[in-house]
Amino acid sequence: MFVMEKQELQVEDENKSGPVDLSAGGNGYEVVHSKSPVFYDTYERKSELKHQTHYCPGCGHGVAHKLIAEAIEELGLQDKTIFVSPVGCSVFAYYYFDVGNVQVAHGRAPAAATGLKRSCPEKLVIAYQGDGDLAAIGTAEILHAANRGEKITVFFLNNAIYGMTGGQMAPTTLVGQKSTTSPWGRRPANEGFPLHMSELLSTLEAPVYIERVALSDNKNIMRARRAIRKAIENQRDNLGFSFVEILSPCPTIWGKDPVDARRWVADQLIPAFPLNVFRDRKLELPAGLEPPRRSVAEVLEIRNEEASGPSVPYPHTFEELTIKVAGFGGQGVLLLGQLLAEMGMREGLEVSWLPSYGPEMRSGSANCHVCLSTQRIGTPLVSRPQVLIAMSEISLRKFAPQVAPGGLILYSSDRLPENPGIPAANVICVPASEIADKLGSAKATNVVMLGAMLAESNCLTRESALKVLEVKVKDRALLEIDRKALAAGWDFVNHQAYAGAVPQADGFAY
Ligand SMILES: Cc1ncc(C[n+]2csc(CCOP(=O)(O)OP(=O)(O)O)c2C)c(N)n1
Ligand code: SF4
């Protein structure tokens, strides 16, 4: 929208999203300022708002977005940027920034940004948070990310209030400032004093850069611009944790017009939160204590050619297979799920593994959800498993009713209990613990079940199972037993299970 007339007029075409570029026509106009290409052309969420943002007029979020977009553009980092947006008024930042985007749960941006940066260190990871998000529900996340010196950039929009939810008191709300939850004005004796996040983080060793700026007037906005750019440059140069607190107007909740709101930033916020460079230095780490850097493939002990997928495609007969493994702690329930997921990965599938267990270390209930898919997985939750591996009677009774019609239940026992309440599913009882005992270790019970499952479902190959076991099982003697256990579970299903039929209430009999 920003055509500056070199000589006289500014022209806009109503039918286009941007200005008419007259420079090509050689008529004296020159575009000196335009919307950063780091922004999408239009705001797609609402048809009636395509050419404006969802922010209120005079809101600081829009200004901060603009400064960030320009810095990313100037530094040529658009293709490398991952923007982590929070919960708050800026929740929709991903509608504006044409970069990689992740929107996270309330307060969790520094934690998500940590994961992103550690797994993709070459990316520019920006966490953007409001004061409710960062300084209330997310206090722990920001403190620990800063203390670990995560090499991320955090922009903290402090407008001294919860904007999105209608004006509740934030940790940064000023003494005496009214909010819906402090209608009498914040009283330190009851609500405590405002939290000064920049000062707090400055007590930590690890951060390399902490500055507080304000969107109060053009001069301060230019300072904010420089601080934002520097915080991004620091990450580009791999320097460490950078944090910019941006005092920002929220005219709507403050009940002011945009001009007065800016003035209020200058008159009230800045005195309470003085502008300052609290930290700007290189981090000196003790020598010799650097963590080793290993790729995901190395950590999983997958050779590179395997990590990049199999050369010969495996003949998977399913698009998505959902599995639940359930039992109690100590039975190797979670490990069995991990084995399946890692086998799937080796066979070039998309996989997910989601554990769920009680607080007890041993003997508490434990189960895991596993998805194997030829497509991207929508959710790791398995509420209707196609396969249930039940390692105990309690888990059989609890999860069998969830099994999809026509699904498969493998039960670790020689027979079904009375009235098991099993739906129209195929059931195979596998005396897995007896088999494992005979082979020399009850620990191999889960691998007997794995062998049985592979034999019955053909979902993954025995070769993959052996490869994963070789990596996972460090004890050579146990590995030998596991190899036999895999074969024994397989043989049981192929040669014995059908001979000793167990009558089923629904007519299925194995
Ligand atoms: C777990 C959780 N708790 C509470 C909320 C409600 N909630 C949404 S936004 C918000 C506060 C936002 O304030 P702030 O971070 O200051 O951002 P602003 O809207 O002012 O930009 C709250 C409490 C939520 N969405 N999720
Ligand atoms: S409520 Fe406040 S923070 Fe939210 S968009 Fe409006 S002015 Fe901005």
Side-chain angles (χ1 to χ4, degrees):
M1 296 288 165
F2 314 102
V3 176
M4 283 279 285
E5 66 266 76
K6 208 171 179 185
Q7 293 165 356
E8 297 164 43
L9 275 173
Q10 176 172 330
V11 181
E12 288 207 10
D13 182 342
E14 293 279 300
N15 302 317
K16 290 191 180 168
S17 62
V20 184
D21 182 2
L22 300 173
S23 54
N27 50 18
Y29 291 94
E30 183 191 3
V31 177
V32 293
H33 199 47
S34 61
K35 184 160 70 177
S36 166
V38 171
F39 287 133
Y40 290 115
D41 279 344
T42 50
Y43 173 53
E44 291 297 339
R45 185 172 163 80
K46 287 196 179 149
S47 52
E48 70 275 16
L49 286 181
K50 271 196 186 316
H51 299 295
Q52 45 186 292
T53 71
H54 75 288
Y55 296 117
C56 312
C59 173
H61 279 302
V63 179
H65 283 17
K66 179 172 175 295
L67 301 178
I68 295 169
E70 287 173 358
I72 293 171
E73 180 195 347
E74 285 163 17
L75 296 170
L77 295 171
Q78 183 170 8
D79 289 345
K80 286 190 164 188
T81 302
I82 304 177
F83 195 97
V84 184
S85 50
V87 171
C89 282
S90 49
V91 65
F92 292 143
Y94 53 86
Y95 276 105
Y96 303 119
F97 286 93
D98 184 3
V99 297
N101 281 287
V102 179
Q103 194 280 315
V104 296
H106 208 13
R108 307 302 180 250
T114 296
L116 288 162
K117 185 67 185 179
R118 287 192 177 207
S119 49
C120 308
E122 72 289 357
K123 301 288 182 200
L124 173 79
V125 179
I126 294 176
Y128 183 100
Q129 300 182 263
D131 45 353
D133 192 81
L134 182 141
I137 194 167
T139 330
E141 278 75 10
I142 189 61
L143 212 56
H144 290 292
N147 194 42
R148 292 191 304 268
E150 298 299 340
K151 292 181 174 163
I152 58 175
T153 303
V154 180
F155 295 123
F156 169 42
L157 257 279
N158 178 0
N159 56 19
I161 204 81
Y162 288 9
M164 180 193 185
T165 41
Q168 294 86 352
M169 194 190 87
T172 48
T173 296
L174 302 187
V175 171
Q177 185 183 341
K178 290 187 176 158
S179 73
T180 57
T181 46
S182 57
W184 42 80
R186 183 176 194 160
R187 302 160 307 182
N190 203 45
E191 290 89 39
F193 289 94
L195 205 52
H196 290 73
M197 289 308 298
S198 292
E199 286 83 344
L200 193 63
L201 298 183
S202 300
T203 63
L204 305 173
E205 287 294 320
V208 296
Y209 178 54
I210 299 175
E211 179 163 1
R212 183 184 286 126
V213 294
L215 305 179
S216 51
D217 52 54
N218 289 349
K219 198 167 147 204
N220 274 326
I221 290 175
M222 285 303 110
R223 283 197 183 130
R225 187 177 209 277
R226 282 195 292 277
I228 285 169
R229 186 182 159 117
K230 183 175 172 66
I232 292 177
E233 280 172 335
N234 282 352
Q235 188 178 161
R236 180 199 62 188
D237 300 341
N238 205 27
L239 294 186
F241 182 87
S242 296
F243 181 89
V244 180
E245 175 172 348
I246 304 168
L247 303 181
S248 172
C250 172
T252 300
I253 301 293
W254 295 352
K256 299 185 186 307
D257 68 35
V259 175
D260 281 346
R262 276 198 177 187
R263 205 168 290 133
W264 200 78
V265 173
D267 295 346
Q268 301 295 327
L269 278 188
I270 293 178
F273 295 101
L275 307 188
N276 195 8
V277 180
F278 296 91
R279 174 73 54 82
D280 185 6
R281 68 172 186 209
K282 279 219 164 88
L283 180 61
E284 302 293 340
L285 287 170
L289 294 176
E290 297 80 15
R293 291 214 65 86
R294 292 191 294 159
S295 68
V296 174
E298 282 170 321
V299 172
L300 294 177
E301 299 183 39
I302 298 172
R303 286 199 311 277
N304 273 342
E305 68 271 24
E306 285 169 337
S308 59
S311 46
V312 182
Y314 290 88
H316 297 118
T317 52
F318 54 86
E319 242 178 46
E320 180 160 280
L321 187 69
T322 51
I323 304 162
K324 189 164 270 181
V325 189
F328 50 82
Q331 287 186 310
V333 166
L334 304 186
L335 176 63
L336 178 45
Q338 281 177 343
L339 294 175
L340 287 164
E342 286 202 20
M343 288 162 62
M345 251 195 293
R346 279 168 189 268
E347 296 192 12
L349 293 168
E350 300 280 328
V351 303
S352 65
W353 171 80
L354 184 71
S356 166
Y357 45 85
E360 309 92 334
M361 286 297 281
R362 296 196 76 79
S363 309
S365 68
N367 67 72
C368 62
H369 310 223
V370 179
C371 294
L372 307 173
S373 180
T374 55
Q375 314 291 324
R376 285 183 72 181
I377 293 170
T379 170
L381 267 185
V382 174
S383 45
R384 207 94 177 103
Q386 291 154 289
V387 179
L388 169 67
I389 302 179
M391 305 286 286
S392 70
E393 184 182 331
I394 294 176
S395 48
L396 177 76
R397 291 189 187 279
K398 182 165 177 193
F399 294 112
Q402 296 179 358
V403 174
L408 170 66
I409 298 176
L410 291 147
Y411 177 44
S412 173
S413 175
D414 60 349
R415 69 193 64 236
L416 285 173
E418 293 275 307
N419 305 320
I422 289 172
N426 302 323
V427 185
I428 303 178
C429 294
V430 184
S433 55
E434 284 90 328
I435 294 173
D437 274 343
K438 279 190 198 142
L439 292 172
S441 174
K443 282 185 183 167
T445 304
N446 56 352
V447 180
V448 176
M449 295 303 282
L450 175 63
M453 185 210 165
L454 297 183
E456 182 60 21
S457 67
N458 276 318
C459 62
L460 299 162
T461 64
R462 257 173 88 173
E463 292 68 42
S464 304
L466 285 169
K467 278 188 185 167
V468 173
L469 283 171
E470 274 163 23
V471 171
K472 284 264 171 195
V473 184
K474 305 290 178 208
D475 177 335
R476 294 291 102 178
L478 185 58
L479 176 62
E480 203 38 51
I481 295 174
D482 276 340
R483 283 201 185 105
K484 290 180 188 161
L486 189 74
W490 177 282
D491 289 342
F492 179 82
V493 165
N494 280 337
H495 303 302
Q496 295 179 48
Y498 297 89
V502 180
Q504 301 292 303
D506 56 21
F508 285 93
Y510 289 112

